[in-house]
Amino acid sequence: MDKGDFFMRHFFNVHDIGDLNKALEEAQAIKNNRFGFQQLGKNKTLLMIFFNNSLRTRLSTQKAAMNLGMNVIVLDVNAGAWKLETERGVIMNGDRSEHLLEAIPVMASYCDIIAVRSFAGLTDRTYDYAETVVNQFVKYSGRPVVAMETATVHPLQAFADLITIAEYRQSARPKVVLTWAPHCRALPQAVPNSFAQWMNAADADFVITHPEGYELEPSFTGNARIEYDQKKALQGADFVYAKNWSCPGVRNAADYGKILSEDMSWTIDTEHMSWTNNGYFMHCLPVRRGLIVTDDVIEGDHSLVIPEAANREISAEVVLKKILETL
Ligand code: CP
């Protein structure tokens, strides 16, 4: 077994994947030969645990594991399992019958890798940004843990987005703009956090645009340029990555998780795209049409939403393969 020069244990951040260019090369190699590593996963089991809903992550990660010859168990915590308590020190006299501290080692005993989806509650910034739930899986499972969107990160999505940008870029260093767009519900910051972190690590002219007050956590945005004027930000963009997020509470912790703006002038329509360098439209999906993006743009020939989603299979397969190589 050639483990290469990088040892992947868990997958949460861009640093967990090692050299990004090598990871992108590996993604293309896997895309050309996605069933070529079935021996790696033989008699190995992936347990996928969902505390929240999913379409793409569930299907693409399961498909990736099957490509690698793995067995897959999927657990929807809220549909058929005992309701789980996640806090220590509580008297469990409510509707939560089982504690995560017993459930985690039990679940770990049935698998080799655990993948977890557990969204932000958006009420307590400290709790969410400490990754309180998934860190218990890291601490108590003894298994490699893969983030399938946690309170603050969605790295399988960001990696798929980067694979897609690498496939469609016309220049070595494209201009990539992450733009906030309006939404009717308060959404987590996991997708924009990870997208910012991965774009900072990639070779891109990366700009973030949003209304004032929506500043993302600086540990993810790094030195990315922040431009509050959306039109200025979009000018010359090769890729427009639209996403809503609720207030990250960076300026004012009391605003964490709130909707501060419903300004529909931020919705991406054909006029917005006309300001770009004949740019591509991107979104992680699911997307609410009419709020984030208009029908014309998402259905247009420069919409990459379907290739992005398809690349989720590839990003998951690269990650699972790298972990399997260490087992
Ligand atoms: N993009 C994404 O993670 O989609 P799902 O929520 O459907 O998994």
Side-chain angles (χ1 to χ4, degrees):
M1 181 173 65
D2 177 12
K3 292 187 180 181
D5 57 0
F6 186 77
F7 182 90
M8 181 189 266
R9 177 67 178 167
H10 305 292
F11 183 63
F12 290 93
N13 294 303
V14 68
H15 322 290
D16 294 330
I17 204 153
D19 185 291
L20 208 44
N21 288 325
K22 278 190 191 164
L24 286 170
E25 282 170 20
E26 189 155 12
Q28 285 312 315
I30 280 179
K31 204 163 185 173
N32 294 331
N33 183 24
R34 58 189 84 190
F35 305 108
F37 307 93
Q38 295 231 325
Q39 279 305 314
L40 264 180
K42 189 173 161 51
N43 296 331
K44 296 284 191 294
T45 298
L46 172 69
L47 173 59
M48 298 167 61
I49 301 167
F50 289 91
F51 289 86
N52 305 93
N53 295 339
S54 169
L55 187 152
R56 278 144 293 275
T57 304
R58 173 187 302 258
L59 297 180
S60 62
T61 309
Q62 183 163 359
K63 176 68 164 59
M66 294 190 306
N67 292 351
L68 290 163
M70 297 185 79
N71 303 310
V72 182
I73 305 172
V74 181
L75 178 68
D76 283 301
V77 171
N78 298 318
W82 301 113
K83 209 163 180 186
L84 292 175
E85 176 57 62
T86 57
E87 298 306 302
R88 274 192 85 243
V90 296
I91 297 171
M92 290 173 56
N93 58 2
D95 63 343
R96 299 180 176 199
S97 308
E98 178 151 23
H99 203 287
L100 207 54
L101 293 181
E102 284 80 55
I104 289 173
V106 169
M107 293 188 282
S109 72
Y110 307 136
C111 68
D112 301 280
I113 301 174
I114 299 182
V116 184
R117 167 163 284 202
S118 176
F119 288 175
L122 295 179
T123 55
D124 182 340
R125 187 180 200 280
T126 305
Y127 182 90
D128 287 345
Y129 273 75
E131 291 289 6
T132 309
V133 174
V134 292
N135 276 338
Q136 294 189 67
F137 280 91
V138 171
K139 195 168 175 187
Y140 299 114
S141 72
R143 296 284 183 265
V145 177
V146 174
M148 295 195 297
E149 187 170 341
T150 70
T152 67
V153 292
H154 196 359
L156 288 171
Q157 180 66 53
F159 186 20
D161 295 333
L162 183 59
I163 293 167
T164 311
I165 288 171
E167 288 174 340
Y168 283 84
R169 70 184 169 198
Q170 309 286 323
S171 64
R173 196 164 186 275
K175 180 174 179 181
V176 179
V177 179
L178 167 63
T179 177
W180 179 91
H183 202 276
C184 52
R185 295 183 58 198
L187 298 187
Q189 297 107 41
V191 169
N193 283 345
S194 281
F195 188 74
Q197 186 188 57
W198 285 68
M199 283 306 117
N200 281 332
D203 202 5
D205 173 13
F206 181 48
V207 180
I208 304 173
T209 184
H210 53 72
E212 293 208 32
Y214 279 97
E215 292 76 15
L216 292 162
E217 163 60 37
S219 59
F220 293 109
T221 55
N223 294 324
R225 185 152 60 89
I226 313 295
E227 171 57 68
Y228 295 113
D229 183 327
Q230 190 192 32
K231 185 171 184 178
K232 269 191 200 163
L234 291 177
Q235 277 162 357
D238 298 299
F239 296 90
V240 177
Y241 196 95
K243 184 74 184 81
N244 173 266
W245 61 91
S246 62
C247 176
V250 169
R251 273 195 189 181
N252 182 0
D255 284 340
Y256 177 64
K258 288 185 181 163
I259 295 175
L260 302 182
S261 171
E262 296 177 280
D263 186 349
M264 296 287 282
S265 73
W266 286 73
T267 301
I268 302 298
D269 60 13
T270 50
E271 187 188 357
H272 287 73
M273 295 305 290
S274 75
W275 302 331
T276 71
N277 180 29
N278 199 23
Y280 289 104
F281 174 80
M282 300 180 75
H283 188 279
C284 61
L285 302 182
V287 70
R288 294 205 185 215
R289 292 180 179 212
L291 289 174
I292 303 285
V293 61
T294 59
D295 293 328
D296 287 351
V297 171
I298 196 167
E299 292 171 8
D301 60 4
H302 270 219
S303 171
L304 295 182
V305 296
I306 305 304
E308 276 177 271
N311 276 332
R312 290 292 306 275
E313 177 184 339
I314 306 304
S315 66
E317 188 165 344
V318 172
V319 168
L320 292 173
K321 175 175 175 285
K322 281 179 174 289
I323 293 174
L324 285 169
E325 286 168 346
T326 70
L327 296 181

